[in-house]
Amino acid sequence: GTGLNDSVVKCINGEGADTLLEGFTITGGSAYQGGGMYNNGTNPTVTDCNFIDNTAYQGGGMYNDNASPTITNCKFVDNWGDFECGGMYNDNGSSPTVTDCTFIGNSAEHHWGAMANLNDSDPLVQNCTFLNNTGIADGAGMANRYDSDPTVINCKFIGNSVINGHGQDYGGGFYTAD
């Protein structure tokens, strides 16, 4: 995706579970939302993919807007959020199923390094590892805000850290508020 100045992959036309993205490395994307992948109102299946070195204002690796993809055995590595969430940003009722995934070294300029769940987003996250992700203020591993209630089963949060830059320092591994 280098030089594309857009999401590398977009699912924006009602794609369902039968839309399969499997075995790809998605890298070099640069967009406002979802540098690696942008899903809007869709539910694709993403398996055995690597989201590496993507950048976006929100959700460097993946941005889900009213989307609930099934994501299995994927890696989110060194993605960057210019403002919020380097790894995966789930917004507006997005409830993906995320299984056997690894989030390593994702970071954001302000909030939420690896995964952000906002505005009634309720993902199922199981058997995932959140390792060495960073954010400035809160939720370097996972952040949950505005009526979002993830189900987290058998996950590891290791070495995630917040770097106090805005007068607050909450939840290096896991953060939930309002």
Side-chain angles (χ1 to χ4, degrees):
T2 303
L4 183 62
N5 293 321
D6 201 352
S7 303
V8 177
V9 178
K10 287 185 178 180
C11 289
I12 56 175
N13 292 311
E15 291 85 359
D18 57 339
T19 297
L20 175 64
L21 182 67
E22 182 175 13
F24 285 90
T25 295
I26 294 113
T27 188
S30 180
Y32 181 73
Q33 294 174 318
M37 186 171 189
Y38 177 77
N39 298 307
N40 186 326
T42 64
N43 304 313
T45 301
V46 182
T47 302
D48 297 320
C49 290
N50 298 310
F51 295 83
I52 301 172
D53 291 323
N54 297 288
T55 301
Y57 185 74
Q58 296 173 314
M62 180 182 291
Y63 186 92
N64 296 310
D65 186 359
N66 190 33
S68 297
T70 299
I71 304 157
T72 306
N73 199 34
C74 292
K75 293 181 182 175
F76 292 79
V77 180
D78 295 331
N79 297 290
W80 173 256
D82 286 337
F83 184 63
E84 296 172 329
C85 193
M88 179 188 299
Y89 196 116
N90 300 309
D91 201 7
N92 300 318
S94 294
S95 296
T97 299
V98 184
T99 306
D100 298 320
C101 293
T102 306
F103 294 81
I104 302 172
N106 300 285
S107 56
E109 181 66 27
H110 289 281
H111 302 284
W112 319 318
M115 182 183 288
N117 305 306
L118 286 87
N119 302 311
D120 296 310
S121 294
D122 304 324
L124 169 60
V125 183
Q126 56 190 355
N127 302 324
C128 293
T129 299
F130 295 81
L131 178 65
N132 297 333
N133 300 286
T134 58
I136 294 296
D138 49 24
M142 181 186 293
N144 310 293
R145 306 275 323 258
Y146 314 116
D147 298 318
S148 294
D149 298 307
T151 299
V152 180
I153 301 169
N154 197 35
C155 292
K156 297 176 186 175
F157 293 83
I158 303 166
N160 301 288
S161 61
V162 293
I163 304 165
N164 189 344
H166 299 288
Q168 56 186 4
D169 184 359
Y170 305 115
F174 193 92
Y175 174 73
T176 299
D178 55 9

